């Protein structure tokens, strides 16, 4: 599924904006778009505010998989928790 199709599906099913951004960000990371600026650019190109995407990227990152969606490695790349 393309990111545009995923975004459209999320909107159709009534997901709120934060959930949309988190889901699209996770899809980016899983597809190899895993550096902060690339993620922010890709997701914001789908119609979301760049600063909001950056905020959600930072807010949802951390080492605790129960509290965070993904982690940022020392190399600056994000990875989804297993």
């Amino acid at each position: 599924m393309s990111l545009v199709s995923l975004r459209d599906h999320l909107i159709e099913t009534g997901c709120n904006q934060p959930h949309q951004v988190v889901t699209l960000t996770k899809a980016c990371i899983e597809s190899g778009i895993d550096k902060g600026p690339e993620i922010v650019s890709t997701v914001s190109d789908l119609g979301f505010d760049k600063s909001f995407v950056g905020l959600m990227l930072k807010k949802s990152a951390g080492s605790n998989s129960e509290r965070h969606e993904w982690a940022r490695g020392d190399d600056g790349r994000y990875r989804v928790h297993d």
Side-chain angles (χ1 to χ4, degrees):
M1 177 180 286
S2 74
L3 291 175
V4 171
S5 297
L6 178 57
R7 180 207 56 204
D8 293 346
H9 172 74
L10 293 168
I11 292 169
E12 289 171 11
T13 58
C15 289
N16 63 28
Q17 188 177 30
H19 182 75
Q20 291 174 40
V21 169
V22 167
T23 302
L24 291 164
T25 299
K26 192 180 285 188
C28 284
I29 295 168
E30 290 173 339
S31 70
I33 302 168
D34 60 1
K35 289 188 174 181
E38 296 170 342
I39 294 167
V40 171
S41 177
T42 300
V43 176
S44 66
D45 284 350
L46 296 169
F48 299 93
D49 181 76
K50 282 186 179 189
S51 61
F52 182 71
V53 175
L55 175 70
M56 293 303 295
L57 180 64
K58 184 176 180 179
K59 179 181 175 187
S60 299
S63 59
N64 184 334
S65 63
E66 293 181 19
R67 294 181 49 196
H68 302 100
E69 299 290 332
W70 46 75
R72 183 174 182 263
D74 292 336
D75 60 358
R77 295 181 182 274
Y78 289 86
R79 69 179 194 296
V80 174
H81 290 291
D82 294 327

